[in-house]
Amino acid sequence: MSKIIAILNQKGGAGKTTLSTNLARALQLDGDKVLLVDSDPQGSARDWNAAANGELLPVVGLDRVTLAKDIQAIQDNQDWLIIDGAPQIAELAVAAIKCADIILIPVQPSPYDVWACEDLVDIIKTRQEVTNGKPKAAFVISRVIKNTQLSKEIGEALEGYNLPVFKSYTSQRVIYPKSAATGSTVLDAEQANEAAAEIRAIAKELKEFINA
Ligand SMILES: Nc1ncnc2c1ncn2[C@@H]1O[C@H](COP(=O)(O)OP(=O)(O)O)[C@@H](O)[C@H]1O
Ligand SMILES: [Mg+2]
């Protein structure tokens, strides 16, 4: 059985596609079979994949409300399905929540971004109530700016939602957009870099979270 991870946040720019592509690559480099599912009608993950002629990762576009059913049809032989979530499309988010084992919510360290998660958290919790806690969900803070007190405060603000917050996070680094421009990831950069370490830490924490 494949593990289905949905990366969701109704807000555009939260870091969904960045986390989806990099996390998918990290899991693949760990030796697993990974399929990236682009549920955003804008097709950012598909554009990313096309920029590398599809050589890095398999990516499929499933951006209809039949997502949960469609996923069933393609999940054979995969270890992981990573769903890159769509912004602002409630039905698609609900469909992804229905079929996911784990939901990761990337959120930028700003109060507006924290407040904007409220509807999504409500939908997730409503689902968890009827399904014995499935899917498990956690926040992953994205684009942390070094040496800011704010990031710590945001961690505390998110605790109000009563969902776990990953200890690992991504920092604001040029290598994220720069690598994406060529359909690549921070893990494929020529030199070892701190962004790659961040992504590997998130992948590791995800595996611990699944097994916890
Ligand atoms: N950690 C980061 N550091 C620098 N830029 C980032 C980081 N995460 C995301 N970005 C950039 O921010 C923008 C929005 O991120 P993206 O992953 O596309 O968000 P979403 O898919 O939620 O709309 C993109 O241009 C992306 O390259
Ligand atoms: Mg996106």
Side-chain angles (χ1 to χ4, degrees):
M1 274 292 275
S2 52
K3 289 281 173 215
I4 303 177
I5 314 298
I7 316 279
L8 302 179
N9 189 322
Q10 313 278 101
K11 207 161 190 251
K16 295 179 289 295
T17 302
T18 302
L19 183 59
S20 298
T21 52
N22 283 278
L23 181 61
R25 180 69 172 145
L27 296 167
Q28 186 192 47
L29 288 170
D30 280 348
D32 287 346
K33 281 200 79 177
V34 183
L35 180 61
L36 181 56
V37 176
D38 185 357
S39 77
D40 184 349
Q42 280 190 354
S44 307
R46 278 166 277 181
D47 290 341
W48 168 83
N49 193 41
N53 292 317
E55 276 163 16
L56 214 57
L57 272 168
V59 180
V60 295
L62 297 177
D63 54 17
R64 299 297 138 97
V65 290
T66 51
L67 180 74
K69 274 219 170 73
D70 299 340
I71 283 232
Q72 297 235 312
I74 58 166
Q75 69 170 328
D76 281 3
N77 306 319
Q78 301 294 335
D79 297 310
W80 302 89
L81 258 63
I82 308 294
I83 305 174
D84 181 14
Q88 259 142 34
I89 302 175
E91 304 85 48
L92 273 175
V94 170
I97 289 164
K98 274 192 184 151
C99 61
D101 298 300
I102 302 281
I103 295 166
L104 297 181
I105 310 166
V107 60
Q108 292 187 65
S110 118
Y112 305 113
D113 290 76
V114 171
W115 296 328
C117 294
E118 192 170 348
D119 290 346
L120 175 62
V121 172
D122 280 348
I123 299 172
I124 293 170
K125 292 207 162 164
T126 305
R127 179 73 187 170
Q128 287 174 334
E129 273 163 28
V130 296
T131 54
N132 236 332
K134 194 190 165 226
K136 287 206 281 186
F139 289 102
V140 180
I141 302 177
S142 71
R143 311 183 72 170
V144 170
I145 296 169
K146 277 264 137 64
N147 303 321
T148 49
Q149 189 61 26
L150 190 65
S151 300
K152 183 166 170 272
E153 284 162 11
I154 290 302
E156 282 162 14
L158 285 169
E159 275 164 24
Y161 284 129
N162 253 320
L163 287 179
V165 180
F166 270 24
K167 284 196 278 299
S168 49
Y169 54 82
T170 73
S171 304
Q172 180 70 27
R173 299 179 193 277
V174 177
I175 192 172
Y176 285 104
K178 210 176 154 198
S179 58
T182 55
S184 186
T185 75
V186 299
L187 300 160
D188 298 288
E190 269 168 34
Q191 275 153 4
N193 63 84
E194 290 173 279
E198 290 177 341
I199 294 296
R200 278 194 291 268
I202 293 170
K204 182 165 179 267
E205 192 165 353
L206 169 66
K207 289 177 182 179
E208 290 162 1
F209 185 57
I210 288 176
N211 295 323

